Amino acid sequence: MIDRVRLLADLKQVVLELEDDLRLRLEEDQPSRDKLHGEYDAARRAGRTAAAWETFRDEQVTQVAVAWVLATVFVRFVEDNGLTDEPWLGGQRMQLVKDRYTHWLRQHPHKSDREYLLHVFGELGKLPGLKALLAEDGHSLVWSLGPTADGARVLREFWLGAGGDVVHDFADPEWGTRFLGDLYQDLSKHARKRYALVQTPKFIEDFLLEKTLEPALAEFGLKETRIIDPACGSGHFLLGAFARLFARWQKAEPAEKAHVLAQRALDAVAGVDLNPFAVAIARFRLFVEALKVSGVRRLRDAFDFRVMVAAGDSLLHGRHQGARQRMLGMDLGEEFDYEHFFGSEDKDLLHAIFGRSYHAVVGNPPYIRARDKALNELYRKRWPEVCYWKYQLGVPFTQLCFELARPKMGERRAPGFVGMITGNQFMKAEFGKRVIEEYLAGCVEVTGVIDMSGVQLPGYGTVTVILLGRSRSPVGSTVRAVLGIRGEPSPPTDPGAGQ
């Protein structure tokens, strides 16, 4: 079983060392530097950043360092759990790992550990379900920039340990992947600050799914219902939705093959996140869950599951039309279409995900401000109805969630259900004026406002509120509110069982 605390502590140090190594590689390798500088120039022209080159470079270096570490974690997970016949990096079959590496070196005497690791990723990327995570044409950042030969050697040797001992044992009969959420949240201090990384507690996840997915299934039916999390992080909401949908399909069609039902459940679940390594984790976790329910123990025997999770900026790539005009049924023609994509972003998949509407929308979006001046202004132009004063990102995400639950023009169906937990500063500060008085009051039906200020949420430094509603103009005269009178008398051991 994995020791989460030790794994996180060890990999944090590996990421720091890789970041320094990648900066060195950029200094030494002109083509790699030119490629990254080309992305920077394109982002500047598209208004996606006003950052200095050094700031942009360091952010990309962090993403790539984490991508390399996570790719090796994925390899180690499939090795230790017997999903692949051939061990590549470590684990209980250490001598076979060393022999395989020695054999490869003899065949490629002029190549380094960087090429060896890319070879490993490429070989595993050929197996069902791993293409988007590891293959060269799967948008994985490991193929965008590699460490130096010495940096790759340090990463490979980390998994060998000292004296042949297994460094970290990922073997788990339950194939648990929640530990990956800890890595997503804490692997890089820089990334945690930039992306406001924090995991959604399971009791919040369950509550929001109960208030969105369950009524959507009751109203629209199992065959029609789709759910999205436009700020999915490491995929907690997605896994919870998949489990519920698969169980429904099993009950509805008990004679159907499990992998067919798993794919139906996956097709109904979509997620997007700005953070590429969060997306990689979410994809991997969903893929593992699909394998588990299908009863597959070897990747070579697995169904090549489609997973609808994409790297991209939901606030830029998500569909949007003017709320009031949509409410009045006015056809605005083509929706806002933002066509700049980083190499790590999944253009085609983003178009597919945002090209449809959803019956349930859940989310725990970032509560921070967009610090980059160019990006801040771009969001303001994109969401002029709600982005006001020194707005926080929870404001445009609130409108996005309701827009995703609104039927597309021409669809004849009722609107979807929305449930989100967000920072409550917009309820107290000037920047929340438009979203409250104009958007929430007139463009959507808010059905619930739940004050979370007294609830213990592990890792949260921001006071939160839960918003529930439907993506239509208000039709009811009641909004159910749960107001905080006092906090917990003492922090509960299990926050989900607090008073």
Side-chain angles (χ1 to χ4, degrees):
M1 293 290 289
I2 195 67
D3 182 338
R4 300 184 182 200
V5 176
R6 183 184 169 205
L7 176 68
L8 178 59
D10 287 351
L11 292 185
K12 275 184 176 180
Q13 185 59 39
V14 174
V15 167
L16 287 174
E17 293 175 5
L18 265 182
E19 287 177 340
D20 291 339
D21 182 82
L22 286 164
R23 291 188 192 94
L24 178 62
R25 177 86 197 284
L26 284 172
E27 290 178 9
E28 295 177 343
D29 189 67
Q30 185 71 36
S32 294
R33 186 166 65 254
D34 290 345
K35 180 181 177 181
L36 185 57
H37 217 298
E39 282 223 345
Y40 170 68
D41 292 338
R44 292 271 297 190
R45 289 193 299 270
R48 287 192 76 174
T49 185
W53 155 247
E54 291 77 12
T55 301
F56 179 87
R57 177 203 62 196
D58 287 348
E59 289 176 351
Q60 300 304 307
V61 160
T62 295
Q63 288 188 16
V64 173
V66 172
W68 276 81
V69 169
L70 283 180
T72 60
V73 169
F74 296 152
V75 173
R76 294 286 292 107
F77 185 93
V78 300
E79 287 177 339
D80 285 4
N81 288 288
L83 286 163
T84 178
D85 295 327
E86 303 86 6
W88 295 92
L89 294 181
Q92 298 294 339
R93 296 175 285 177
M94 194 70 76
Q95 189 57 50
L96 187 55
V97 168
K98 293 178 179 179
D99 291 345
R100 181 182 297 279
Y101 171 71
T102 300
H103 178 70
W104 184 87
L105 275 185
R106 287 173 180 165
Q107 290 184 314
H108 306 88
H110 302 296
K111 293 187 178 181
S112 71
D113 282 26
R114 179 177 62 245
E115 286 77 28
Y116 177 72
L117 288 176
L118 289 173
H119 167 70
V120 172
F121 302 151
E123 288 300 305
L124 287 174
K126 297 175 184 177
L127 293 171
L130 294 184
K131 177 179 178 180
L133 293 166
L134 298 173
E136 186 171 2
D137 57 349
H139 294 283
S140 173
L141 283 171
V142 298
W143 297 93
S144 67
L145 174 65
T148 66
D150 287 340
R153 176 182 53 79
V154 170
L155 176 59
R156 184 186 63 82
E157 291 181 349
F158 167 78
W159 295 110
L160 297 178
D165 294 333
V166 177
V167 182
H168 291 284
D169 185 1
F170 291 86
D172 178 4
E174 301 298 323
W175 289 359
T177 59
R178 196 170 179 90
F179 77 92
L180 290 168
D182 297 333
L183 295 183
Y184 154 76
Q185 180 173 302
D186 297 318
L187 204 49
S188 165
K189 288 183 178 179
H190 172 79
R192 179 176 178 130
K193 181 178 180 181
R194 183 192 175 200
Y195 296 108
L197 307 186
V198 62
Q199 293 194 81
T200 306
K202 191 169 189 312
F203 69 96
I204 300 295
E205 166 206 316
D206 290 338
F207 178 79
L208 289 179
L209 289 174
E210 285 289 337
K211 298 299 181 183
T212 55
L213 181 57
E214 295 301 332
L217 285 166
E219 181 164 336
F220 303 108
L222 181 58
K223 292 183 179 180
E224 298 296 326
T225 299
R226 297 187 297 264
I227 183 171
I228 187 172
D229 179 353
C232 67
S234 59
H236 292 336
F237 283 118
L238 307 185
L239 266 72
F242 171 81
R244 289 169 185 254
L245 289 166
F246 179 78
R248 292 288 190 104
W249 276 114
Q250 271 197 316
K251 185 176 180 180
E253 298 186 20
E256 184 57 272
K257 294 177 181 176
H259 76 268
V260 174
L261 301 182
Q263 186 60 68
R264 290 182 189 172
L266 287 172
D267 287 340
V269 176
V272 177
D273 201 274
L274 181 64
N275 186 335
F277 61 86
V279 168
I281 289 173
R283 284 172 174 163
F284 185 74
R285 296 183 69 196
L286 276 172
F287 174 64
V288 170
E289 289 302 306
L291 290 181
K292 283 165 58 175
V293 300
S294 301
V296 175
R297 307 302 299 184
R298 289 284 191 277
L299 287 174
R300 65 170 184 240
D301 304 322
F303 186 74
D304 196 10
F305 293 109
R306 298 183 304 274
V307 177
M308 300 289 286
V309 183
D313 190 335
S314 292
L315 293 179
L316 294 180
H317 301 131
R319 66 188 189 86
H320 169 56
Q321 290 182 336
R324 294 190 182 281
Q325 291 92 328
R326 287 185 64 93
M327 187 172 65
L328 296 172
M330 297 170 59
D331 187 353
L332 300 180
E334 289 296 317
E335 298 176 17
F336 188 106
D337 195 13
Y338 188 77
E339 281 298 322
H340 175 268
F341 296 87
F342 288 115
S344 60
E345 294 178 324
D346 306 285
K347 178 179 178 179
D348 293 339
L349 187 54
L350 286 167
H351 283 160
I353 289 173
F354 288 124
R356 60 186 190 176
S357 58
Y358 293 84
H359 308 83
V361 182
V362 290
N364 181 6
Y367 316 147
I368 57 175
R369 292 178 58 203
R371 298 290 182 183
D372 188 296
K373 292 181 179 179
L375 193 58
N376 187 297
E377 187 58 30
L378 195 56
Y379 290 152
R380 194 181 298 275
K381 291 178 180 177
R382 178 79 159 86
W383 305 94
E385 293 160 307
V386 296
C387 287
Y388 175 65
W389 203 245
K390 298 179 180 181
Y391 70 93
Q392 293 181 351
L393 295 180
V395 167
F397 263 108
T398 298
Q399 184 172 354
L400 172 64
C401 285
F402 280 99
E403 289 298 311
L404 290 170
R406 198 181 301 275
K408 289 178 71 70
M409 203 66 70
E411 285 185 344
R412 295 181 178 273
R413 69 164 176 82
F417 296 82
V418 176
M420 61 186 297
I421 179 170
T422 187
N424 77 350
Q425 294 94 329
F426 77 94
M427 300 164 63
K428 301 176 289 185
E430 180 70 16
F431 73 82
K433 184 180 180 67
R434 286 185 185 173
V435 70
I436 292 175
E437 296 184 2
E438 298 178 24
Y439 187 72
L440 293 177
C443 300
V444 299
E445 181 183 15
V446 177
T447 58
V449 179
I450 303 173
D451 177 16
M452 299 291 288
S453 60
V455 180
Q456 299 290 328
L457 299 180
Y460 280 63
T462 305
V463 181
T464 56
V465 62
I466 287 177
L467 298 178
L468 303 172
R470 299 197 70 174
S471 192
R472 62 188 177 195
S473 56
V475 296
S477 58
T478 301
V479 176
R480 296 186 182 276
V482 179
L483 308 179
I485 305 301
R486 60 179 181 178
E488 296 283 356
S490 60
T493 303
D494 176 10
Q499 294 186 21

